[in-house]
Amino acid sequence: MILLIASRKDGASMEMASRLLELFKFDKLDANRYTYKNYELKFIDNLHIYQNMEDLEEEVEKVVFLSKHSSKADIKSLTVHPIGNFRKAELGGLDNVIVPSDPLGMSASLRYIKNNYSGDHFEITFEATHHGPYMEKPAYFIEIGTTENEWKQEGIADLMARAIMEGVEKDYGNYVGVGGGHYAPKLSSYFFSNDINIGHIIPKYVHEIISEDEIENAVLKTMNCKGFLMDAHGTKGRVKDMIAGIADKHSLEVLKI
């Protein structure tokens, strides 16, 4: 079962949840839960980044969080990203702990958005791994940024809802992204032009503090990881050295772009 989480404290989350209920005819189980085929949509009262979920039912295969995207620079974006922290947990989750990524589902959603959005208001992109909540099931966030004007824009919540439900998972190789800024522009651009899935993304701003164990853990928490997709110019030397060792240890590819 795929669990979809909507937060009542998040306007974009509620817009996407509303469209899911209308487009896909979910059946109501109770005030907080709806079901459709292999999906369950669950409403929570708290902000999802702070609601850790260590005790999910065994039948839950993975979790998708519906969310707004916040940007100090007011970047208008449609994004997906893995969750967890490569540093102190300032926005939920645990310090230096990441959650299993969902490279197939997350990549399928972003690919669907890219292929079906025809406007020029939004940037469509991955974001680096960041923030909570903590859980032990594969998960990702799908987000509309940055204000009510964006998440109420005609057709956008529909697009995001359909991306979750209709994005086609491709059996491409799964890679850990490395380098570049928070929105991983080179990695995102490569992704849209090549047959590849991306799981965890390790941005340059954590390269001075990240450990070799944490990088290796990103591999282990990217299902069936085939290697690293590296923004070579946007990757610090110490991280390149650690990746070389990890790649050799696990017989992984290093694709440098």
Side-chain angles (χ1 to χ4, degrees), residues 211-220 225-228 240-254:
S211 70
E212 187 166 344
D213 285 345
E214 287 177 298
I215 297 173
E216 186 170 22
N217 195 35
V219 169
L220 298 176
C225 186
K226 190 174 180 180
F228 295 94
K240 289 179 180 177
D241 291 343
M242 290 188 287
I243 284 174
I246 294 167
D248 184 62
K249 176 180 177 181
H250 293 280
S251 301
L252 300 173
E253 294 182 55
V254 180

Side-chain angles (χ1 to χ4, degrees), residues 230-245:
M230 181 190 295
D231 175 345
H233 181 72
T235 300
K236 290 187 176 291
R238 68 181 297 270
V239 170
K240 289 179 180 177
D241 291 343
M242 290 188 287
I243 284 174

Side-chain angles (χ1 to χ4, degrees), residues 84-85 93 120 126 132 153 165 214 220-221 244:
N85 298 293
D120 58 7
F126 285 105
Q153 191 173 125
M165 305 296 286
E214 287 177 298
L220 298 176
K221 291 188 174 179

Side-chain angles (χ1 to χ4, degrees), residues 26-182:
F26 279 72
D27 294 320
K28 186 174 182 178
L29 298 177
D30 57 41
N32 296 315
R33 297 186 305 135
Y34 295 76
T35 185
Y36 172 80
K37 295 185 178 179
N38 192 41
Y39 294 85
E40 181 177 312
L41 173 60
K42 182 176 181 180
F43 290 86
I44 61 174
D45 293 325
N46 298 326
L47 200 58
H48 26 40
I49 63 174
Y50 298 113
Q51 184 148 335
N52 290 346
M53 299 180 177
E54 298 96 327
D55 300 320
L56 288 171
E57 298 88 345
E58 186 176 347
E59 62 265 26
V60 174
E61 302 166 38
K62 56 187 179 181
V63 184
V64 183
F65 292 91
L66 321 179
S67 179
K68 67 181 178 182
H69 171 66
S70 298
S71 167
K72 291 180 181 178
D74 194 31
I75 295 171
K76 310 296 192 294
S77 56
L78 306 176
T79 76
V80 297
H81 70 82
I83 62 176
N85 298 293
F86 291 116
R87 55 186 180 180
K88 184 175 176 61
E90 297 178 348
L91 293 170
L94 305 176
D95 292 349
N96 301 97
V97 174
I98 59 173
V99 170
S101 64
D102 178 19
L104 275 76
M106 184 175 72
S107 297
S109 290
L110 192 64
R111 201 176 283 117
Y112 184 96
I113 296 167
K114 181 71 169 179
N115 291 339
N116 290 278
Y117 177 66
S118 58
D120 58 7
H121 186 71
F122 293 96
E123 294 185 24
I124 300 170
T125 181
F126 285 105
E127 286 182 88
T129 301
H130 69 301
H131 73 56
Y134 171 74
M135 67 192 61
E136 295 178 359
K137 301 280 188 173
Y140 70 94
F141 269 64
I142 183 166
E143 303 182 346
I144 305 172
T146 60
T147 70
E148 186 174 358
N149 290 332
E150 277 69 53
W151 60 73
K152 286 187 176 293
Q153 191 173 125
E154 184 177 357
I156 293 303
D158 280 30
L159 171 65
M160 302 300 269
R162 291 188 183 279
I164 296 166
M165 305 296 286
E166 297 177 355
V168 178
E169 295 186 358
K170 300 288 189 178
D171 191 22
Y172 301 145
N174 300 334
Y175 289 77
V176 171
V178 183
H182 184 72

